[in-house]
Every structure is written in structure tokens, then in C-alpha cells.
Amino acid sequence: MTTETQAQTLSDGVDLLIDALKLNGITNLYGLPGIPITDLTRRAQAAGMRMISFRHEQNAGNAAAIAGFMTQKPGICLTVSAPGFLNGLTALANATTNCFPMILVSGSSEREVVDLQQGDYEEMDQLAIARPLCKAAFRVLHAEDIGVGVARAIRAAVSGRPGGVYLDLPAKVFAQSMDAEAGRKSLIKVVDPAPRQIPAPDAVQRALKLLAGAKRPLIVLGKGAAYAQADTEIRTLIEKTQIPYLPMSMAKGLLPDTHEQSAAAARSFVLPEADVVMLIGARLNWLLSHGKGKTWGGKDAKAWGGQKFIQIDISPQEADSNVPIDAPVIGDIGSCVSALLDGIGAAGSGWPQPSADWLGAISERKSKNVAKMAETLAKNPTPMNFHSALNVMRDIIKANPEAMLVNEGANALDFTRSIVDMYKPRKRIDVGTWGVMGIGMGFAVAAAVESGQPVIAIEGDSAFGFSGMEVETICRYKLPVCVVVFNNNGVYKGTDVNPSGGPDVAPTVFVKGARYDKLMEAFGGVGVHATTPAELRKAVEEAVRSRQPTLINAVIDETAGTESGRITSLNPKSAKK
Ligand code: OXT
Ligand code: ADP
Ligand code: MG
């Protein structure tokens, strides 16, 4: 046999990995090349996959994670060994925390050398380090096991509660070859990777009974509800029962924020007052004040018998994590909500509606808050503040409801969440469960790649700095991303001074008057310096229309923010001043 014929009848680890991913419908890869994966990235591209190459692995990892959230398929991040792997690890841990399905695939050094700690190139026991930060971690040592490794990683990432998975591939696996036909047979097309999980009928009945007895019911929609893609069922449940609902940040738009049943503008009123709360894909973690304390009525709630909770979640371990859950309904959200709808349908017109007093009180509170907000938004101060800038962004999202909105920062995050209405599901992606800075440009790249829609990223100037170099990536792939940096000269605000009077500026303050727009221009994108709402509006509208990579340096009053935005109370309070 000639060497050429031999090559045709053999497959190596790279072929097998690419074929295994393609066989499972994975077409986009996010990563950063180098030893030992450079050839993998080239050959993936040659094989027709879209290989998006980043400037830092954390951003590639964040891109993969949010691609997973948007598509229900695991997003894939490829990294080199030790340092590249570690750079990707924050994103893997964040994906796991947020229940986003992703697979971090890292090349690694040779086992024999690593295990004897003989000092290999980029030596590190990556599997052991990744394990506590993800849902599952696997290592493949033989090319013929790549199919199984990929199948196991996919199942672990998307079945049950989604999360991050680590797949370790020592360098020599890429070069191992085997008979092509045997290789093809070793691959697995995963059947039903995220099986439906039907809730138990008695759990559904228990929940319906509790809901039917409620006088002041409330539904809280979390990002699990957005992920589940059961949009019609959720909307039907809400509209049929007429129960007011509160969307968590990434559940905004599941129903349009302008929906009359949205209680978002009466948040601090409905949480303590509701008697039965149904959580759909939302955990009672810090973002919901752990289901207790002042936010939830505290002692007052106990006086009238306490609040009762129904929790719909795919994870049976989630219930009772903070407060007792009276009616857990365990299953996938689509199946659970359908089962509830069947029960409600069976009751016919006998299904009780929430009390008119409750709906009236919410409506009154909402009107007050909306009027207060409208008054603030109508002001046009100089310099521009968060409100006057967001008044513009609000109109633009309304006019472009298909656009993806990425959002990070503190004030830049919190004001955007309450001011900018969302109209479609899964369009708002943000700092999530950890409130992590640095997701911005990774999310923006994946949002553009996966949706094909224009992306608008509203970024605090500090937040942007964590992933800012990826504007080169945005320009390189000509992505329709418009980054709006809310530049208030620092973290939270730009007015702190060094208490010692020394020459260094305060830790929260940046270079004043910085021109982030120049960064985009450096790579051929459009940079705009905007100091008024009119300039901002013109620039964003043009960016959305032209689909050109654009960065707008929106100058915001440096005094306008507050420490940590809306979560000032989480800062440790010291008796010492
Ligand atoms: O009911 P009330 O009266 O209370 O009013 C509420 C609603 O009813 C009302 N509302 C409305 N009114 C009228 N109309 C409408 N449509 C409407 N909708 C709502 O508005 C209020 C508020 O509503 P909301 O938002 O729903 O309610 P609330 O009470 O805020 O909700 C509570 C929470 C907890 C759910 C919510 O606040 C939330 O989701 N918060 C998330 C906060 C978060 O995650 N923050 C990010 C982290 S902060 C900090 O850690 C930062 N760091 C440190 C750091 C991080 N994070 N990561 C890493 C890797 N390293 C370091 C850093 C460095 S932030 C940061 C950078 C900051 O600087 P930047 O320059 O980037 O940003 P700037 O601050 O802009 O300078
Ligand atoms: P939020 O931050 O928006 O409140 P969380 O991330 O805290 O949302 O909660 C999401 C919840 O959704 C998790 O407990 C997760 O187990 C659950 N979840 C994710 N996908 C599904 C699904 N398809 N069906 C049911 N529950 C899901
Ligand atoms: Mg700032």
C-alpha cells in the first residue's frame, strides 16, 4: 500500500473529534489555537466548521457557554494546556453556576510525565483541577474512545440540570491513528441527549391545589424558564390563570415586558405580599434574597400564615435549599407547565382567578413606579446620565426586538435591567448568577454568531475592560456588534479620591475622559464619541442598520452611579470609618 492510500484508510484523533462533534450537530467552535490544538482548529475549519478564534480563552469560554444557553446544544470551547485551560476555567465554572451547557475541550500534556511530575511542557493535572468546577469531567486516552468521550460530555452537559463539562485530551491522542472504518463505527450519535422529564402526577396535583387556594399568587420566571424554550406553554399558563409574574433578569422578554401581567415595576411590593409563589426555573438564591427576610415580608408574612412556595425545576435537589418548598414539581419546564395546564383545563371555568384586590394593588403600584420612571427618563441633563442614555437604548430595543442585548457593569447593568424592556425570549444575556464581569465581548460574539441578529452590548467602562481586546475578534469576523461603553470614568463612579493625598488615583477611578471608541477604530471598526442622547441615538441606529462593528464611547456623568449599583447593601459594613 502507498503511504497515500494508507492515510486515506486511517483516521487520527483530530479526524475523530471533528467527526464526533459534527455527527452531533455541533457546527461552531470557540477557542484559541496553540500546542497541541493548532491543527485541530485548522482542520475543523477545513471540515466546514465555524472556528471562532479569540484573543483570550475566558472570552471563548463565555461565548461557548452562552451559545449553549441560546441553542440548548453544548457550546464548545477549545483551549491549549495548562495556562490556556486555566484561562477557560472561569467560564466553565460560571457556566456550571448558571446552568449553561458547555464543554471545555483542552489539550493536555502527557499523562506519564505529568503523573511523575517530570516537568513537561505546560504540565498540569487538568482533570483534577477541573472536576470540582463542573458537572462532569472526562479524559480520553485512546483515539478509539473519542466517540464515547464526546457522547458522554454532551449528555452530561445538556441532560437534567445543564452545566459545564470538561473533556481532557492529552496531546498524543490527536496523533493516534486507527482504521478509518473502525473509527467511523466508534463514533456515537447521541439519541435524545436531554430526555423530557415528566413530573409525577401527585406532585402536579399538590401544586394545583396550593395554587387554587391562593388569594395573592405570583409567578417568578427565571433563566431556566428561558432556557427551556417552552415559551408558548409558559405564556398560556400565565394568561389562563391571570397570575402576575416577575421575570428575573434573563427571563425578561419571555413574555413582552410590556405585558399587563408583568409585576416587574412592582417588585418590592409583590415579593412580600404574595401568599403563594410559583418559581419556574428560578432558584431562591441571593438574587431572590434566599426567599426570606424583609424582601419576603419577614415577620409580617408569618402573621398571616407565611408564604407558600411551588417550585418547578429539573433538579430534585433544588427544593428546600433556602426555605421549605411546599409543592416541588420536578421535571423539565415544558412537561411540568403542560401538566399544570392540563389540570387547569380540566377545571374548566371553575379555575379560580387571583383576587381583584391583589391585581388592583399591583396595578396601582406599577403605575406609580412607571410614572416616576417616565419623569426621570424625560429629563435631559448635561452631562448625560444613565437614565437619559438608557432612554435612547430603550427606544432602540423596542424598534429592534430581534436584536440581542448583552449587559454588564454595576449601575450600567442595574439601570438597563429596569429601564430597557425586552420583547422576545432569550434576547437579554448578562452577568447571571455570579454577577461576573467579563462576559461582555464573549457573549456578544456568540450572540452574533448563533443568532445572526444585530447585537447591542451595554457595558460599564470597567466591565468592558475585562474582555475589551475582543473588539479585534468582532472586527475580524465582521460581526454586527454595537458596543456602547457607559463611560463614567471608573468602577461605579469616577469621583473617588485617594484618601492619603498621594499621587495614585483612587482604586475605583480610571483615566478620565478615556476614548474607548479609538480601540474599535484601531481594528477597522466604527468608533463614535457620544456626549448627548441625540448623538448616541444616531450612532446606535446607524450601527444596527449597517451591521458594522461599532463602539460608542457614551460619556456619562461621573457622579451619577452608586457603589455596587442596586446591591450596595451587600458591601461589608465596618464599624470603623
Ligand atoms: O419595586 P422597587 O420600588 O424596588 O423598584 C424596582 C422595580 O420595581 C423598578 N422597576 C421599574 N419601574 C418602572 N418601570 C419599569 N419598567 C420597571 N422595572 C423595574 O425598578 C426597581 C429595580 O428593579 P429590579 O432591578 O428588578 O429590582 P432590584 O431590587 O434591583 O432586584 C434585586 C436584584 C438582586 C435581583 C437585582 O438588583 C439584580 O439582579 N442585581 C444584579 C446585580 C449584579 O449582579 N451586579 C454585578 C456585580 S456588582 C460588583 O460585584 C462589580 N464588580 C466586582 C467584580 C465582579 N463583579 N466580577 C469580577 C470578575 N471582578 C470584579 C466590578 C469590578 S461591578 C464592577 C464594575 C462596575 O463598574 P462599571 O464601570 O462596569 O459599571 P458602572 O457601575 O456603570 O460604573
Ligand atoms: P435566575 O438567575 O434567572 O433566577 P437560576 O439560574 O437561579 O435562574 O435558576 C435556573 C433554574 O432552572 C435552575 O435551578 C435549573 O435547574 C433550572 N432549569 C434549567 N433548565 C431547566 C429545564 N429545562 N427544566 C426545568 N428546570 C430547568
Ligand atoms: Mg463605570
Side-chain angles (χ1 to χ4, degrees):
M1 234 193 299
T2 65
T3 322
E4 204 176 307
T5 346
Q6 248 176 354
Q8 277 166 7
T9 55
L10 292 177
S11 288
D12 66 9
V14 171
D15 292 323
L16 292 166
L17 180 61
I18 292 170
D19 290 348
L21 293 171
K22 284 177 73 174
L23 185 64
N24 285 289
I26 290 166
T27 52
N28 296 332
L29 304 174
Y30 301 92
L32 201 158
I35 299 168
I37 62 155
T38 315
D39 214 31
L40 167 62
T41 60
R42 285 195 196 105
R43 284 165 62 185
Q45 193 172 50
M49 298 184 91
R50 187 136 199 228
M51 173 67 219
I52 305 289
S53 206
F54 281 76
R55 305 299 295 258
H56 190 289
E57 290 88 349
Q58 188 178 120
N59 306 319
N62 284 325
I66 209 65
F69 170 77
M70 291 170 66
T71 63
Q72 294 185 326
K73 278 191 204 148
I76 309 292
C77 174
L78 299 178
T79 80
V80 303
S81 31
F85 155 79
L86 286 173
N87 285 345
L89 217 47
T90 307
L92 183 71
N94 190 53
T96 309
T97 300
N98 281 280
C99 316
F100 299 155
M102 83 172 265
I103 305 173
L104 176 67
V105 181
S106 296
S108 59
S109 305
E110 299 316 334
R111 289 298 329 144
E112 298 82 347
V113 186
V114 173
D115 287 350
L116 276 172
Q117 297 181 16
Q118 291 174 307
D120 206 354
Y121 167 74
E122 296 191 348
E123 176 179 295
M124 176 174 273
D125 187 358
Q126 296 171 197
L127 190 70
I129 289 164
R131 209 182 287 280
L133 299 176
C134 57
K135 236 185 117 179
F138 305 101
R139 176 183 291 133
V140 175
L141 287 176
H142 305 289
E144 64 260 35
D145 292 332
I146 285 177
V148 171
V150 168
R152 300 215 62 182
I154 291 174
R155 279 200 187 279
V158 296
S159 63
R161 171 182 276 178
V165 174
Y166 176 59
L167 187 60
D168 191 77
L169 296 175
K172 76 176 164 210
V173 175
F174 293 112
Q176 281 174 8
S177 52
M178 63 186 291
D179 173 70
E181 180 56 14
R184 197 183 55 75
K185 287 193 178 138
S186 72
L187 303 183
I188 297 174
K189 182 168 169 52
V190 178
V191 176
D192 197 10
R196 284 199 305 148
Q197 295 192 20
I198 315 289
D202 56 333
V204 174
Q205 286 312 316
R206 192 185 298 121
L208 284 171
K209 196 166 160 216
L210 196 52
L211 204 58
K215 295 204 170 46
R216 299 184 303 280
L218 175 71
I219 290 175
V220 176
L221 298 175
K223 60 172 121 58
Y227 175 79
Q229 299 195 12
D231 309 340
T232 310
E233 292 89 332
I234 290 172
R235 187 171 184 147
T236 309
L237 177 74
I238 287 174
E239 291 183 343
K240 250 201 168 143
T241 58
Q242 284 295 301
I243 298 176
Y245 72 95
L246 193 63
M248 299 300 287
S249 193
M250 281 177 58
K252 276 166 71 74
L254 203 43
L255 285 81
D257 279 339
T258 46
H259 196 284
E260 62 169 14
Q261 284 172 255
S262 168
R267 187 181 200 271
S268 58
F269 173 71
V270 290
L271 289 179
E273 292 293 327
D275 61 353
V276 175
V277 179
M278 179 154 72
L279 302 156
I280 308 185
R283 287 170 283 187
L284 281 176
N285 56 16
W286 72 280
L287 288 156
L288 282 167
S289 308
H290 306 282
K292 50 195 173 192
K294 265 203 327 263
T295 310
W296 291 89
K299 288 195 199 86
D300 291 350
K302 289 215 174 69
W304 44 259
Q307 294 174 306
K308 303 263 185 252
F309 287 98
I310 300 166
Q311 184 158 32
I312 302 182
D313 205 288
I314 202 150
S315 164
Q317 291 170 29
E318 187 51 41
D320 306 332
S321 58
N322 284 273
V323 294
I325 299 297
D326 305 277
V329 183
I330 304 308
D332 69 276
I333 286 168
S335 301
C336 293
V337 174
S338 297
L340 290 174
L341 278 172
D342 288 347
I344 290 165
S349 55
W351 183 259
Q353 302 283 299
S355 81
D357 284 355
W358 175 231
L359 299 184
I362 295 173
S363 167
E364 194 182 319
R365 179 60 76 102
K366 258 177 80 174
S367 308
K368 260 193 212 147
N369 273 352
V370 169
K372 209 164 75 191
M373 169 92 82
E375 203 180 300
T376 319
L377 292 178
K379 291 184 187 145
N380 195 359
T382 311
M384 191 154 64
N385 64 10
F386 289 100
H387 288 87
S388 58
L390 285 167
N391 192 32
V392 169
M393 302 312 296
R394 170 189 233 228
D395 290 349
I396 289 171
I397 292 292
K398 187 174 182 187
N400 299 278
E402 293 297 341
M404 296 288 306
L405 177 66
V406 178
N407 191 201
E408 62 176 335
N411 297 280
L413 173 89
D414 291 341
F415 285 123
T416 304
R417 187 180 55 251
S418 54
I419 294 172
V420 177
D421 289 329
M422 303 306 297
Y423 298 86
K424 303 263 176 167
R426 294 169 293 283
K427 294 294 183 185
R428 186 189 151 88
I429 47 183
D430 66 27
V431 300
T433 307
W434 266 349
V436 67
M437 298 298 111
I439 48 87
M441 297 305 103
F443 276 19
V445 167
V449 168
E450 300 292 335
S451 75
Q453 297 291 338
V455 178
I456 297 173
I458 302 181
E459 300 273 312
D461 50 340
S462 163
F464 173 70
F466 286 73
S467 65
M469 193 63 203
E470 301 298 345
V471 296
E472 188 276 330
T473 310
I474 291 168
C475 290
R476 189 168 9 112
Y477 292 101
K478 302 183 174 54
L479 298 174
V481 174
C482 172
V483 185
V484 183
V485 176
F486 276 10
N487 187 356
N488 63 350
N489 294 338
V491 179
Y492 313 135
K493 37 167 77 190
T495 49
D496 275 6
V497 286
N498 179 343
S500 77
D504 291 345
V505 295
T508 53
V509 170
F510 294 157
V511 166
K512 304 243 180 195
R515 293 289 301 271
Y516 291 95
D517 47 317
K518 301 282 179 199
L519 196 57
M520 190 57 110
E521 284 175 359
F523 302 106
V526 178
V528 181
H529 182 60
T531 58
T532 65
E535 287 169 1
L536 178 62
R537 187 183 299 274
K538 184 163 171 270
V540 185
E541 282 176 351
E542 177 55 19
V544 172
R545 195 200 55 73
S546 70
R547 296 174 66 94
Q548 291 298 309
T550 301
L551 191 151
I552 301 160
N553 183 53
V555 180
I556 302 288
D557 181 356
E558 66 173 7
T559 67
T562 55
E563 178 110 348
S564 309
R566 292 272 299 173
I567 54 174
T568 308
S569 60
L570 295 187
N571 287 301
K573 281 159 211 69
S574 165
K576 206 171 150 200
K577 280 280 167 210

